[in-house]
Amino acid sequence: MIKGILFDLDGTLLDREQSLIAFVRNQYYRFQAFQNVEEQIFVQRFIELDQKGYVWKDKVYQTLINEFNLDLNWDELLEDYIQSFQYHCIGFPGLIEILDYLKGKQMKLGIITNGFGRFQMNNIKGLDIDHYFDGIFISEIEGLRKPDIKIFRRALDRLGLEPQESIFVGDHPVNDIDASINAGMKGIWKEDDYFGKPSTDYLSVKDLVEIKNIIERF
């Protein structure tokens, strides 16, 4: 019997690509110096350098400033990103529907995400979903990062769950799915071929609401 479901954040609950585009466009118009570059070119280059969030924004801004010869300070832009991204957070379709459904099933819910504590917590609050979760585990705060299985086991312990009665939902084949399965959980891959497919046996969904069909099978 499944008693708990834990989620990744970026690319799973948070539509990071659409959120990032919304933020970058907003920042582009707030900083006059950016407008020496065509908006579409600037936004596309930012997304390329970001690499799905796996490159921290200090490097992204430094590269943009050098490439486009911008009269800006990268650290000012980074602080603006940290403070302002939360106001542009967009959840995937069905986000609230699936969380309401799972809470209605009396499931324990958690988030395990890599990243900086303040930034990721602000984004969870930006989605207005923090109240759904019984535990939120962010790598900077925990001192552990996915795919280390110890962060999964720590989360389960704190939530009072056994691995075999828990599911982890994520988009990264290694950090989320292979790692959670290695920790003894069931893995649901939210399909995204950017990083390839998981190497272990897993379930998959294209949309969050499809999780309902999987839950009904257990």
Side-chain angles (χ1 to χ4, degrees):
M1 180 179 177
I2 300 301
K3 297 182 180 178
I5 299 189
L6 290 81
F7 294 87
D8 170 53
L9 178 62
D10 298 316
T12 302
L13 302 177
L14 173 72
D15 187 336
R16 194 178 176 284
E17 183 173 348
Q18 293 305 311
S19 302
L20 186 63
I21 289 171
F23 165 77
V24 174
R25 285 177 173 163
N26 178 269
Q27 189 181 57
Y28 174 88
Y29 284 105
R30 286 188 292 107
F31 285 79
Q32 188 69 32
F34 282 144
Q35 293 167 42
N36 295 327
V37 184
E38 184 180 335
E39 179 190 3
Q40 184 176 351
I41 292 173
F42 179 79
V43 172
Q44 183 59 41
R45 186 60 179 140
F46 193 111
I47 292 169
E48 290 171 356
L49 293 169
D50 177 71
Q51 293 183 30
K52 286 272 190 177
Y54 283 83
V55 176
W56 185 233
K57 264 30 81 186
D58 55 350
K59 305 299 183 188
V60 172
Y61 285 121
Q62 288 170 37
T63 302
L64 288 170
I65 287 169
N66 290 332
E67 286 186 359
F68 295 125
N69 193 27
L70 301 172
D71 184 21
L72 289 166
N73 294 320
W74 68 264
D75 50 349
E76 180 183 359
L77 295 172
L78 176 61
E79 184 59 27
D80 181 69
Y81 172 81
I82 293 169
Q83 293 291 345
S84 302
F85 186 87
Q86 61 187 301
Y87 303 116
H88 303 276
C89 289
I90 299 168
F92 279 105
L95 172 60
I96 302 303
E97 180 181 346
I98 193 62
L99 293 179
D100 281 338
Y101 169 82
L102 295 173
K103 291 303 281 188
K105 290 282 189 181
Q106 305 300 312
M107 297 276 184
K108 287 193 175 179
L109 301 182
I111 291 176
I112 303 177
T113 179
N114 288 346
F116 294 101
R118 175 170 64 123
F119 182 73
Q120 293 294 65
M121 198 65 226
N122 282 345
N123 294 342
I124 292 167
K125 290 179 179 178
L127 289 172
D128 194 24
I129 58 172
D130 51 303
H131 58 285
Y132 282 99
F133 294 94
D134 302 290
I136 295 172
F137 308 89
I138 303 171
S139 63
E140 182 190 35
I141 296 171
E142 300 301 326
L144 294 166
R145 287 180 61 84
K146 297 179 296 181
D148 190 333
I149 63 174
K150 289 194 290 291
I151 194 169
F152 295 91
R153 290 176 175 167
R154 177 180 294 178
L156 293 172
D157 285 345
R158 290 186 187 170
L159 292 172
L161 295 168
E162 295 297 328
Q164 65 272 14
E165 61 189 18
S166 307
I167 290 174
F168 191 81
V169 183
D171 68 305
H172 197 287
V174 176
N175 294 349
D176 294 327
I177 305 309
D178 292 348
S180 61
I181 290 173
N182 288 338
M185 305 172 72
K186 295 175 176 62
I188 297 179
W189 181 47
K190 188 174 183 297
E191 295 181 13
D192 185 338
D193 290 327
Y194 184 86
F195 295 108
K197 296 181 179 181
S199 62
T200 47
D201 292 331
Y202 60 92
L203 302 166
S204 67
V205 296
K206 293 186 186 320
D207 299 302
L208 290 172
V209 292
E210 295 176 38
I211 295 171
K212 290 183 182 181
N213 297 331
I214 294 175
I215 295 299
E216 295 299 332
R217 285 191 249 155
F218 288 102

